[in-house]
Amino acid sequence: MCGIIGYIGSKNVAPLLFNGLKRLEYRGYDSAGVVVSQDGFHIKKDIGKVDEINQKLNLLDISGTSGIAHTRWATHGGVTKDNAHPHMDCEEKITVVHNGIIENYQELKRNLVTAGHRFKGQTDTEVIPHLIEEIMKRGRNFSDSTTAALKSLEGSYAILAMNKNERKIIAARKGSPLVLGVSDTGHFAASDIPAFLEHTKTIVYMNDYDVAELTDNSFRVFNLLENREVQRKIDSVDWDIKQAERGDFQHFMLKEISEQVETIQKAIQQDKKILDDVIQSIRNAHGVFLVGSGTSYHACLEASYVLSKVNRMHVNVVLASEFPNYEHFLTSKSLVIAVSQSGETADVLEAVKSAKTKGSKVISLVNVIGSSLTRTSDAFLSLNAGPEICVLATKSYTSQVALLSLMSYALSGKYDEGKKKLTYLWNEVYHLTSLSVREKIKELAEKLQDKDHLFLIGRGLQYATALEAALKIKEVSYIHAEAFAGGELKHGTMALIEKGTPCIVFVSEENEKEILSNAIEVKSRGGYIIGISPKNNEIFDFWIKVPEVHNENPIVQIIPIQILAYQLAVLKGLDPDRPRNLAKSVTVK
Ligand code: M6R
């Protein structure tokens, strides 16, 4: 989704904005722009990648020490230069960048057009600078006019605004992420921390309805709901800028796959007191819901099988986008466990909102601390995976699975045993991400790269793994990949199997006989069988060896597929870090 960054201080702003935009690229975008304030506004924007726009327009060639910038992921209005942010008012005195959706923009625009405002593009955002301009015409200053304009906006926003005649940046958020960075040489505001991490680790998380005024050496926060100035805590992050850089890796995706050796270990390093409280809440609850989207949903599904098997416990696993349809079952005794890497997924936040309206307790498992989800939950556990830049969730997924697994052990009073088992995975993950395994998987990728369709089957835990594996392959290689519970193919989809149709089969000790018999059904119709299995079998046309680690199988079985998806993208000349049409955090419903 869109990314925004702004800076005001003593440093030359253009390189800060350019580097900030580069670090926001992973969120997904189709156009970008910057505006620097120096004796008027100097604006450069276009469609395309930040590097392409820089080559064309030289984004670094604007001097000045305050400015704002934006990467746009089109929602309202096509991908055009005019629709790229920053946007201006009629007189070009006000400039705005925005992430989110202004739901009442049509009505606002109609009124503004009637009042004589001229619009250049079709975005919802463009109403904001015009609205501020309109209010300023009535004699109010820039800050008051911006606050008044914000009050008339419906929908979600993270906004940065500047006035040509005043040295300040106004930063406001409601429902879209925005964080402030504080340094000796100035102030930053951005959609997320990596955008300014190389300059400061001192941050201020903004709450919804907060409006901050940033100057060179101060910041003040006003809250629109409380209608007063508020104090926000100055925090710090222990992220290292190296974690947000590719280093020697060709792509973030490969870097993040390789990091799983450490990140799985970090996921199980939890504050025992907080974990115990969470476990107690699960025990006390009358009805537990596990909620997530995409990959995070698959982690929830994995956990539901483990909880059923190990803890004899039924949990409701619900896609976040579908969750509002379940709110009729919620009571003040229900517990919602929301799982999300970003903590900013709109569907997840909406689910949490509906749970809260019923008085249910919300606990979240999140990677980005300070995100909206951590701040709206009653308690949260951190995935501790460090910044995940590639659009595809890889290390955050195995961290989710590891943490949920640790919770299941703790729930059955076997915390130490669980921790030991999960710690032991270190060796296995190290081997699975090694060059020799990657080379072997590359051979498979070469065989599959020209295929249009691919099927994946598994049973129980391996069914959830198959779903996650299919998502990985689709997202990055654009090959149609569909996952089924082993027993389901024969209920219809078998009709699609013909000579050479690839089918990936996830095998574990527990379901070996049944899933192999499903694989034989595919093989007898000409299918090409790829076994992800601890043991080889004559029916496999290609075998990838994984260890048998029982309830931890989902972790070791997904890694080869993450690598396969990566290799497919590279072989097909695609960018694994930024697949088409996708955004890292999906902040719209
Ligand atoms: O940040 P979240 O975990 O809430 O994100 C949920 C999904 O958008 C995300 O997992 C998505 O499916 C990824 N692209 C998967 O690789």
Side-chain angles (χ1 to χ4, degrees):
M1 299 282 131
C2 307
I4 60 184
I5 169 140
Y7 170 78
I8 180 163
S10 56
K11 290 189 172 175
N12 188 18
V13 72
L16 300 187
L17 296 181
F18 176 75
N19 289 332
L21 287 182
K22 293 284 298 168
R23 293 196 192 284
L24 290 167
E25 279 190 303
Y26 78 96
R27 297 170 67 86
Y29 70 107
D30 43 55
S31 43
V34 301
V35 60
V36 171
S37 177
Q38 178 83 1
D39 305 323
F41 287 140
H42 305 275
I43 186 165
K44 297 190 182 190
K45 62 180 188 176
D46 211 334
I47 58 170
K49 299 285 177 212
V50 174
D51 279 330
E52 291 162 6
I53 300 172
N54 184 40
Q55 258 176 12
K56 205 161 136 188
L57 305 175
N58 197 352
L59 298 175
L60 296 165
D61 179 31
I62 338 176
S63 63
T65 52
S66 67
I68 57 179
H70 188 264
T71 50
R72 172 173 190 249
W73 194 82
T75 54
H76 294 59
V79 181
T80 65
K81 182 178 172 181
D82 280 340
N83 286 338
H85 302 210
H87 289 292
M88 300 265 204
D89 63 331
C90 299
E91 301 289 324
E92 305 200 340
K93 284 186 185 151
I94 309 294
T95 185
V96 168
V97 293
H98 162 228
N99 169 18
I101 290 178
I102 306 302
E103 285 161 6
N104 59 337
Y105 84 100
Q106 285 176 320
E107 182 195 334
L108 293 169
K109 189 168 175 176
R110 258 194 313 274
N111 295 341
L112 287 161
V113 169
T114 310
H117 290 260
R118 299 173 312 279
F119 283 73
K120 291 196 173 127
Q122 292 77 42
T123 65
D124 50 340
T125 304
E126 209 180 339
V127 298
I128 305 169
H130 288 279
L131 205 51
I132 299 172
E133 176 184 41
E134 182 63 25
I135 302 169
M136 283 179 81
K137 271 194 216 159
R138 298 174 208 150
R140 295 174 75 175
N141 65 29
F142 171 53
S143 302
D144 287 353
S145 304
T146 306
T147 304
L150 292 172
K151 284 183 179 162
S152 56
L153 302 181
E154 285 167 21
S156 61
Y157 57 75
I159 286 167
L160 300 181
M162 291 198 300
N163 172 12
K164 188 172 120 180
N165 302 321
E166 273 180 72
R167 192 163 165 84
K168 67 169 69 152
I169 295 175
I170 298 186
R173 72 158 280 178
K174 181 191 153 209
S176 295
L178 193 61
V179 60
L180 307 181
V182 181
S183 83
D184 293 343
T185 52
H187 288 93
F188 294 85
S191 303
D192 56 29
I193 299 164
F196 55 68
L197 189 58
E198 63 188 300
H199 306 287
T200 182
K201 291 182 181 184
T202 308
I203 52 158
V204 176
Y205 294 114
M206 291 179 69
N207 284 359
D208 273 348
Y209 297 98
D210 275 357
V211 186
E213 271 197 29
L214 312 181
T215 65
D216 293 65
N217 42 30
S218 70
F219 74 92
R220 312 173 26 215
V221 185
F222 182 86
N223 186 274
L224 293 177
L225 274 189
E226 295 175 40
N227 203 24
R228 63 177 179 95
E229 194 166 329
V230 288
Q231 297 302 315
R232 294 282 172 243
K233 194 169 150 230
I234 300 190
D235 247 307
S236 65
V237 275
D238 62 1
W239 286 2
D240 190 325
I241 188 62
K242 291 240 164 4
Q243 291 178 292
E245 283 172 350
R246 265 195 290 118
D248 293 335
F249 289 89
Q250 210 188 336
H251 299 101
F252 278 108
M253 184 171 174
L254 185 58
K255 176 179 183 248
E256 287 159 7
I257 290 172
S258 308
E259 280 174 358
Q260 292 175 110
V261 180
E262 291 126 41
T263 51
I264 293 166
Q265 300 309 315
K266 287 189 181 155
I268 56 171
Q269 302 309 321
Q270 295 292 327
D271 181 318
K272 190 66 180 24
K273 164 86 180 66
I274 302 178
L275 185 67
D276 286 345
D277 288 350
V278 166
I279 298 304
Q280 201 47 48
S281 302
I282 298 176
R283 287 199 181 112
N284 293 345
H286 291 197
V288 175
F289 291 79
L290 279 172
V291 178
S293 299
T295 287
S296 298
Y297 167 76
H298 297 148
C300 295
L301 200 58
E302 295 281 12
S304 73
Y305 282 108
V306 176
L307 287 165
S308 161
K309 202 168 94 182
V310 177
N311 309 88
R312 304 282 182 263
M313 183 180 167
H314 169 75
V315 290
N316 306 280
V317 186
V318 189
L319 281 166
S321 55
E322 285 295 312
F323 189 76
N325 300 314
Y326 283 78
E327 68 178 20
H328 329 282
F329 299 108
L330 294 170
T331 70
S332 58
K333 293 199 170 133
S334 318
L335 172 67
V336 172
I337 303 182
V339 180
S340 170
Q341 187 285 130
S342 61
E344 297 294 350
T345 301
D347 291 330
V348 177
L349 296 177
E350 195 62 24
V352 165
K353 202 164 138 195
S354 63
K356 289 250 157 183
T357 55
K358 297 282 178 168
S360 311
K361 186 163 186 174
V362 176
I363 290 173
S364 56
L365 271 55
V366 194
N367 195 35
V368 181
I369 306 310
S371 57
S372 304
L373 187 56
T374 59
R375 281 171 309 114
T376 45
S377 306
D378 297 298
F380 70 87
L381 294 172
S382 168
L383 298 173
N384 296 330
E388 189 176 64
I389 306 294
C390 173
V391 165
L392 280 85
T394 52
K395 62 176 179 172
S396 64
Y397 174 68
T398 47
S399 294
Q400 290 166 347
V401 175
L403 179 51
L404 285 160
S405 171
L406 184 71
M407 286 163 66
S408 149
Y409 282 110
L411 205 52
S412 54
K414 294 181 180 160
Y415 171 83
D416 291 331
E417 183 193 325
K419 198 149 178 204
K420 206 163 142 197
K421 283 193 175 159
L422 289 156
T423 305
Y424 161 79
L425 286 184
W426 188 91
N427 254 334
E428 307 294 356
V429 175
Y430 183 77
H431 171 68
L432 286 168
T433 51
S434 66
L435 187 62
S436 60
V437 175
R438 291 194 332 245
E439 287 301 314
K440 166 117 206 253
I441 296 174
K442 196 169 167 197
E443 286 170 32
L444 176 61
E446 279 159 2
K447 292 181 197 294
L448 299 182
Q449 62 175 317
D450 297 322
K451 297 287 180 190
D452 293 323
H453 307 280
L454 199 153
F455 295 94
L456 304 96
I457 53 172
R459 285 173 171 256
L461 281 175
Q462 279 63 52
Y463 169 49
T465 305
L467 287 169
E468 171 58 10
L471 181 61
K472 289 291 87 89
I473 292 170
K474 277 185 280 200
E475 276 184 292
V476 78
S477 73
Y478 313 152
I479 293 173
H480 167 233
E482 220 178 328
F484 290 91
E488 283 301 297
L489 275 184
K490 60 180 180 291
H491 293 292
T493 310
M494 195 68 92
L496 293 175
I497 306 292
E498 48 190 35
K499 193 168 178 332
T501 305
C503 180
I504 298 180
V505 184
F506 294 92
V507 186
S508 73
E509 213 170 62
E510 198 185 5
N511 57 36
E512 186 179 355
K513 254 182 31 216
E514 295 85 348
I515 196 71
L516 287 178
S517 128
N518 297 138
I520 289 168
E521 290 159 11
V522 177
K523 177 110 177 162
S524 15
R525 275 127 191 120
Y528 178 84
I529 307 295
I530 300 139
I532 310 289
S533 162
K535 284 189 274 172
N536 202 353
N537 190 289
E538 60 188 18
I539 67 155
F540 296 156
D541 295 294
F542 199 99
W543 174 46
I544 297 175
K545 186 176 183 338
V546 286
E548 172 60 59
V549 285
H550 311 282
N551 291 341
E552 282 66 61
N553 279 338
I555 294 177
V556 296
Q557 294 193 341
I558 196 63
I559 291 173
I561 305 298
Q562 294 172 342
I563 297 170
L564 174 67
Y566 171 77
Q567 307 278 21
L568 283 168
V570 172
L571 284 172
K572 294 178 87 173
L574 303 169
D575 181 350
D577 290 338
R578 291 185 297 246
R580 70 184 178 204
N581 306 338
L582 299 181
K584 181 65 180 165
S585 26
V586 185
T587 53
V588 291
K589 277 190 265 170

